[in-house]
Amino acid sequence: AEQLESIDSAILALKDDPGRDDSLAGLLRSLHTIKGSSRMLKFKAVEALAHGLENVFKGVKEGRYGITRDLVRLVFLTGDAMRRCSDAIRATSADDIDTAPFLSVFERVYASEPFTLDGLAAPEARPAPGSQASGSPAAAEQAPSGAADAQSPQATPVQAATPVTSEPSAPAERRQADKPRETIRIDLGRIDGIVRVLNNLIIKQFQFRKEKDLVARVEDALGDAGGGGKEAVAVALRATRQLRKKLDEDLELMERNTFELQEDILSLRMLPLELILGNLGKMVEETSAVLGKDIRLSTSGTELLLDKFILEGLHDPIVHIVRNSIDHGLETPEERVAKGKDPVGNLSISCASESGHIVIRIRDDGRGLDYARIRQRAIDAYPSQAADIAELPEASLNAYLFMSGFSTKDEISDLSGRGVGLDIVRHNIESIKGKIDLSSEPDRGTEFSLSLPLSMATVDGFFITSAGEKFLIPATFVREVIIVQANEVMDLLNRRGFVLRNLVVPLYPLSVLLGKGDDDPFDREKLNVVVIEAFGEIMGLMVDSIVQYTTLIYKPVPRNLSGLKTLQGIVFDENFDIITILFVPELMNRCKRIRNIDTRKRYAEGRRENKRILVVDDSPTTREIEKSILEIEDYQVSTAVDGIDGLDKLREQKYHLIVTDINMPRMDGLTFVENLRKLEGYAQTPVIVVSSEDDEGHRTAFRAAGATSFIVKSDFERENLVERVKALIGAVQHG
C-alpha cells in the first residue's frame, strides 16, 4: 500500500514537471520493489501488473513518449487493480484477477501504438447509484471524448473516459477510510520516554513507603512528648516539619511526572495530516479529468500531528469540500481564459498550528459564491424569514449553506455529493469538536477554514456561570471575552446588541437560551459577555461571571443526556464536580430564533408552566393564524415550513404537541409523522393533523402512522383547535 501511494505521488509530480528524474526514478523503484516481492511470494497477477507498468515507464525514461493525462490515468487504474489483488489475497490467499486487458494496453503503449483505457476499471470500484457510504461521492457519469495529450503524438483519442472511482478508489482503501484504524505506528523513542516517566513514578512510590515509616516514628515521638517535657515536644515538632517538607517536594514531583506521563500517553494517538491529505492528488486529477478541467493542487503543513480520531473524522469533510471546489468553484480552462485567468485552476490546502489548534484552509481561485442566488434560495426555503434574509449581509448568508437540504444547484451532481449539502460536512466537523468557517469573493475564489483541537482527549475553554450553574464554553468558538456597560446596550429591531469595534453584535442572555433563571439579566450595570463565532456569524453571550481559562480531560455526554443538543460533553473541575460543555453552534441556532420581546416576556410574566407546540405548514398564513391562536392561550409556539424543517426543530428541543399539514414540499405530513415517531422521546407525543382534504384514506394512513387527531380546514374554528389541544395536553397553568 505504501509503495502504491509513492507511485501515485510520483506520477502526479511527473505530470506537473515531466523532467523530474528523481520522481521517475522513485516510481520505477517502487514498481521494481512490488514486482520482486510479488515474484518471491508467487503472486503472479501483481507481478505481471508491476512488470508491465515498469516497462511502460522505461519507455518514458528512454524518451520514446511523454507523460500524458491518459498515462497518468493508466497508472491510477493499475494501482486500483493491484489493490484489488491485495483484497483478494487477504480473502483467499491468491491474487486471481484478469490482468489480460492491462497487459494488452501496456504492450500498445510501449510500442507507441494507439490505445484505449476502456474496460480497465473493475465493476466493484464503481459506487452504487446514490451510495454515500463514506461521504466521498464518486462521479458515475462518463466524460466526453477528448483528444490525446499533445506530448504523445502516437496516442489516439480516448473513445470514452473510464468512470472515475470514488476516493478512496479501491475497496481496501475505502475500508481503511470508513473503518477506524485499530493500530498505529509508534516511534520507539516515545515509548522510551513513557517508560522513563513511569520508572520515576515507581521510585516515588517506594519513597512514599519510606516516608510512611517516618510518619510512624513521628507518631511515636509525639506519644513520648506527653511525658518528656519541652525538649521532647521540640524534637517531635522538628520531625513533623521535615516530614511535611519532604512530602510537599515528593508530591510536587509526582504530580509533574503524572502530568508528563498523561501527555506522553495521549501523544501516542497523534498522527500526521499527511495520512489523509497525501492521497488527495489522485482524486483531484481523476475528478478534474471527468470535468475537463486543469487543476493544480498544492499542500503545506501536512507534517502536523492530530489526534487519530480527529484525523479519521476529517477525511470525508475534506474530500467533500475539495470535490465541491472542483465541481462548483473552479472554472473550465476556456472560462478562465475568458476572465483573464490562468487556464490552470489553483486549489491549495494549508495546515498550520494557531493558538493551540490546527487550522486547515482549503482555498480555490475560482468563481466564488453567488450570494444573490444563495439569498433567493434561502428566501424560497424559509419564506417566513424573507424580510430578515433580504437584509442579511453576505457573510451571514454562509450559514444557510450549512443547513440541511440547502443547495444552490438545480441538478443533483454525483461529483459534488448527489444533492447532499454542506450540512454533512458541518455535522462531521462538529462531531470532532471542530469549527468550520467560509469566505468568498466573486471571481477570486472561496476559502473553507477548519479549526480543530489537537486532541479529542482534552478540551480548552472558559469556565463561566449562568443562573447559578457552572458551564464550560470551548475556546474554539470564543472570539473574545469582554465587559459591556449597561448604557452601551442598544435595542435593535428584534433583539438587543452592542457595538464592538464598529461591528454591531447581537446580545443574548445564556440563562434564557437554557431556560434557567428568574431575574432580568439586563438589569445590571456591567454585563459579562463571551463573544462567540461560527459560520461567519458573531454573537454576544451574556453570562453571570467568567471564572477562568482551563484545559481539561474531555468526556463524552452520558447516553441518557445524548438527546440534549446544547451539550457537547462533560469535564471535571478542580473540586471533581461534573461540568457540562456547551455546544456553541446549537446555542447560536437558538439565538437566531429568539426575539427581544421573548426575553422581556420571560421576566415580565413570572414563572409559568412551559407547554411547547410545533406548527408545521408550508402556508405562511396558516402558520401565523394557528400560532396566534395558540399563543393567546399562553402556549409556547414554534413553526416549521415543511417536514424536514419540522424534524430539525424536534431535534433541537422537546415539544409537547405537534400540529401538521398534509401536503408540503420536500417532506409531506405523513412522512413527517412516520419519522417523528422514530425520534427519541416522541413515541407518544400528540399529533393533530389540520388539512383541507377530508378523505378517509388519509385519516386511516395518518392513524396508522401515529396521528392523534384530525381537523378539516373547512370545519376549522379557533375554539375547535384550542379544545383539541387542551384535551390532549391541558391548559397552561400560571405560577
Side-chain angles (χ1 to χ4, degrees):
E2 291 176 355
Q3 296 291 350
L4 289 175
E5 287 182 8
S6 298
I7 290 170
D8 288 344
S9 299
I11 190 60
L12 288 171
L14 286 170
K15 172 182 174 290
D16 293 335
D17 183 3
R20 289 191 59 170
D21 293 338
D22 58 335
S23 296
L24 180 58
L27 188 150
L28 286 167
R29 187 164 54 249
S30 293
L31 287 171
H32 190 76
T33 300
I34 293 174
K35 180 182 71 173
S37 301
S38 302
R39 179 178 298 163
M40 180 179 66
L41 296 170
K42 296 182 173 57
F43 295 136
K44 294 184 179 180
V46 179
E47 179 189 350
L49 291 170
H51 180 63
L53 194 58
E54 185 182 24
N55 283 340
V56 167
F57 279 91
K58 284 181 179 178
V60 173
K61 187 175 182 180
E62 294 165 0
R64 300 174 60 239
Y65 40 81
I67 302 294
T68 67
R69 172 163 270 182
D70 291 332
L71 193 57
V72 172
R73 292 177 51 241
L74 177 59
V75 172
F76 291 157
L77 292 169
T78 307
D80 291 346
M82 292 186 186
R83 292 180 177 100
R84 292 197 295 277
C85 289
S86 179
D87 283 347
I89 291 168
R90 289 190 181 94
T92 67
S93 299
D95 61 342
D96 295 331
I97 73 165
D98 182 13
T99 60
F102 285 92
L103 301 183
S104 175
V105 171
F106 295 153
E107 290 176 2
R108 297 183 72 85
V109 174
Y110 187 72
S112 299
E113 296 178 357
F115 66 93
T116 176
L117 301 179
D118 288 352
L120 295 190
E124 62 266 31
R126 304 178 191 176
S131 67
Q132 198 69 25
S134 69
S136 307
E141 74 251 17
Q142 292 187 341
S145 301
D149 196 299
Q151 294 183 57
S152 181
Q154 296 89 351
T156 61
V158 177
Q159 296 176 2
T162 306
V164 174
T165 58
S166 64
E167 174 61 36
S169 56
E173 277 191 283
R174 193 177 301 119
R175 279 201 310 273
Q176 192 176 33
D178 296 350
K179 183 180 179 180
R181 298 181 182 182
E182 297 177 358
T183 60
I184 56 175
R185 293 184 179 181
I186 301 172
D187 185 270
L188 284 177
R190 296 165 75 180
I191 298 293
D192 292 340
I194 291 174
V195 172
R196 175 182 54 78
V197 177
L198 189 58
N199 287 338
N200 290 339
L201 288 173
I202 292 173
I203 292 170
K204 279 297 149 198
Q205 180 182 349
F206 293 149
Q207 290 177 344
F208 274 127
R209 286 181 179 175
K210 290 183 178 180
E211 286 158 8
K212 181 180 178 181
D213 296 335
L214 182 57
V215 170
R217 291 200 298 271
V218 170
E219 289 175 345
D220 293 340
L222 289 173
D224 296 339
K230 293 182 178 179
E231 184 176 347
V233 171
V235 171
L237 185 59
R238 282 196 299 273
T240 302
R241 288 172 176 169
Q242 290 175 357
L243 176 61
R244 179 175 179 178
K245 180 180 179 182
K246 182 63 175 172
L247 284 173
D248 285 345
E249 292 174 351
D250 287 345
L251 183 60
E252 181 181 353
L253 183 58
M254 190 171 186
E255 287 178 347
R256 187 163 62 246
N257 285 333
T258 301
F259 286 126
E260 186 179 344
L261 179 62
Q262 181 188 66
E263 290 181 358
D264 287 344
I265 291 175
L266 292 177
S267 73
L268 296 181
R269 305 192 334 178
M270 307 294 279
L271 298 171
L273 279 161
E274 173 67 25
L275 286 179
I276 62 168
L277 299 181
N279 60 359
L280 283 179
K282 176 184 175 184
M283 185 268 286
V284 170
E285 175 62 24
E286 289 181 325
T287 308
S288 59
V290 168
L291 295 173
K293 298 180 179 181
D294 289 329
I295 297 173
R296 182 186 301 111
L297 173 67
S298 61
T299 59
S300 62
T302 58
E303 72 283 355
L304 293 172
L305 301 177
L306 268 180
D307 187 294
K308 166 183 176 288
F309 295 103
I310 295 178
L311 207 61
E312 289 169 347
L314 264 180
H315 176 271
D316 290 352
I318 288 180
V319 168
H320 192 104
I321 291 171
V322 168
R323 296 193 79 120
N324 268 278
S325 295
I326 298 171
D327 189 14
H328 295 284
L330 289 162
E331 310 95 332
T332 63
E334 296 77 15
E335 291 172 329
R336 293 179 65 85
V337 169
K339 294 178 179 180
K341 294 183 176 182
D342 184 337
V344 179
N346 291 296
L347 180 61
S348 65
I349 303 177
S350 61
C351 313
S353 178
E354 298 179 8
S355 304
H357 290 77
I358 295 295
V359 179
I360 301 175
R361 294 183 173 87
I362 304 173
R363 179 173 180 80
D364 66 66
D365 64 348
R367 58 176 62 92
L369 294 176
D370 185 348
Y371 281 110
R373 187 172 181 81
I374 295 171
R375 192 185 304 275
Q376 186 56 53
R377 284 299 176 92
I379 291 172
D380 293 341
Y382 304 95
S384 62
Q385 305 171 18
D388 291 337
I389 295 173
E391 299 298 325
L392 285 177
E394 289 185 347
S396 297
L397 290 173
N398 291 337
Y400 287 94
L401 294 172
F402 295 96
M403 291 184 176
S404 178
F406 190 91
S407 177
T408 58
K409 296 204 80 174
D410 294 320
E411 298 179 358
I412 292 174
S413 167
D414 285 333
L415 280 172
S416 55
R418 294 187 175 87
V420 176
L422 291 170
D423 59 307
I424 303 298
V425 174
R426 181 203 66 193
H427 172 77
N428 288 352
I429 293 298
E430 290 175 355
S431 69
I432 53 178
K433 302 191 299 180
K435 181 182 73 169
I436 180 169
D437 286 315
L438 171 63
S439 61
S440 182
E441 296 181 61
D443 279 329
R444 293 179 65 87
T446 302
E447 179 179 283
F448 287 85
S449 177
L450 313 180
S451 180
L452 305 156
L454 289 171
S455 172
M456 286 286 284
T458 60
V459 59
D460 295 353
F462 294 86
F463 274 140
I464 59 94
T465 63
S466 178
E469 292 191 38
K470 193 174 182 180
F471 303 95
L472 183 81
I473 299 180
T476 305
F477 299 98
V478 177
R479 178 164 174 160
E480 57 188 292
V481 175
I482 60 174
I483 293 177
V484 176
Q485 302 295 329
N487 59 8
E488 296 174 349
V489 177
M490 63 183 72
D491 276 329
L492 306 177
L493 181 60
N494 287 320
R495 54 188 62 89
R496 294 183 182 181
F498 64 98
V499 177
L500 178 65
R501 291 186 289 278
N502 298 321
L503 179 68
V504 178
V505 179
L507 183 61
Y508 303 91
L510 179 59
S511 57
V512 173
L513 298 175
L514 299 178
K516 301 177 182 293
D518 299 323
D519 300 328
D520 185 350
F522 290 100
D523 189 20
R524 307 174 190 177
E525 291 185 6
K526 296 181 179 180
L527 309 178
N528 294 304
V529 177
V530 180
V531 181
I532 55 178
E533 181 178 21
F535 311 124
E537 293 186 282
I538 300 173
M539 299 178 182
L541 208 58
M542 193 166 62
V543 301
D544 293 344
S545 66
I546 299 158
V547 182
Q548 68 184 80
Y549 181 87
T550 185
T551 301
L552 295 166
I553 300 296
Y554 168 85
K555 300 288 184 183
V557 176
R559 183 168 298 180
N560 63 320
L561 299 177
S562 59
L564 299 177
K565 297 186 70 173
T566 54
L567 303 186
Q568 177 176 314
I570 62 171
V571 293
F572 294 93
D573 67 3
E574 65 277 5
N575 299 317
F576 294 99
D577 292 329
I578 296 176
I579 308 298
T580 53
I581 307 171
L582 295 176
F583 187 48
V584 172
E586 174 58 24
L587 290 179
M588 297 185 76
N589 287 337
R590 293 192 177 191
C591 287
K592 288 185 284 188
R593 293 195 298 269
I594 197 170
R595 299 172 300 173
N596 197 19
I597 189 171
D598 296 328
T599 306
R600 292 176 175 174
K601 277 184 180 180
R602 174 180 172 83
Y603 297 100
E605 297 177 2
R607 305 279 298 179
R608 78 178 184 196
E609 185 181 14
N610 291 324
K611 291 191 176 180
R612 290 184 289 272
I613 297 175
L614 178 64
V615 173
V616 185
D617 200 301
D618 62 317
S619 167
T621 304
T622 302
R623 283 198 307 271
E624 290 306 313
I625 290 174
E626 293 176 356
K627 183 173 185 288
S628 300
I629 290 172
L630 295 170
E631 284 185 335
I632 290 174
E633 300 296 326
D634 286 336
Y635 294 105
Q636 295 184 19
V637 184
S638 301
T639 61
V641 299
D642 57 25
I644 291 178
D645 190 23
L647 291 175
D648 287 342
K649 296 289 197 306
L650 293 176
R651 294 187 184 100
E652 290 165 1
Q653 65 174 324
K654 176 66 178 176
Y655 289 91
H656 301 89
L657 182 141
I658 293 98
V659 179
T660 182
D661 189 14
I662 293 181
N663 297 316
M664 296 180 289
R666 296 201 301 172
M667 180 182 287
D668 61 25
L670 181 59
T671 307
F672 168 62
V673 174
E674 291 172 342
N675 279 281
L676 79 86
R677 289 304 185 204
K678 299 174 184 176
L679 295 178
E680 184 177 354
Y682 286 100
Q684 303 297 326
T685 304
V687 177
I688 299 176
V689 180
V690 180
S691 176
S692 58
E693 298 187 22
D694 186 10
D695 180 84
E696 187 58 34
H698 279 107
R699 290 173 182 262
T700 302
F702 270 96
R703 289 193 189 100
T708 313
S709 185
F710 205 98
I711 299 177
V712 181
K713 287 184 178 178
S714 59
D715 299 331
F716 183 85
E717 294 180 359
R718 175 188 178 280
E719 292 78 9
N720 195 358
L721 177 61
V722 171
E723 287 174 4
R724 298 280 182 97
V725 172
K726 288 182 177 179
L728 291 169
I729 63 173
V732 175
Q733 302 296 322
H734 292 264

